[in-house]
Amino acid sequence: TMTETQIYMLFSQYGSVEKVLVPKDGIEGRGFCYVIMKDTTAFDHLVSVGTILYMGRPVYLASALSMNMLHTT
């Protein structure tokens, strides 16, 4: 399990991080998080890579859509 600080430090290597959000189920994280990058170029690059390694373990990367984006047609 990664802390918010570890996640922030990992993603800071690729660009400026605006915010890290870790949804929790009680005390424990739920196995995923949201990282908001300030630079869309850095974000697009990370998503295109798809996976980065942290301490020898894969971290899978994907883009998330806001609820507003899901409800627009």
Side-chain angles (χ1 to χ4, degrees):
T1 303
M2 294 174 69
T3 66
E4 288 182 27
T5 301
Q6 290 170 318
I7 295 165
Y8 184 92
M9 296 304 292
L10 174 65
F11 282 87
S12 291
Q13 297 174 50
Y14 301 95
S16 188
V17 175
E18 185 173 321
K19 187 183 272 187
V20 174
L21 303 167
V22 180
K24 299 196 181 201
D25 188 10
I27 299 172
E28 296 292 317
R30 295 174 54 195
F32 66 94
C33 69
Y34 300 98
V35 178
I36 301 169
M37 304 288 290
K38 290 181 182 176
D39 180 10
T40 57
T41 304
F43 168 78
D44 292 339
H45 171 72
L46 284 171
V47 171
S48 72
V49 170
T51 305
I52 56 177
L53 291 179
Y54 177 76
M55 297 179 68
R57 298 191 64 180
V59 176
Y60 301 101
L61 309 168
S63 179
L65 297 175
S66 71
M67 291 303 288
N68 290 339
M69 291 175 75
L70 290 173
H71 294 294
T72 58
T73 54

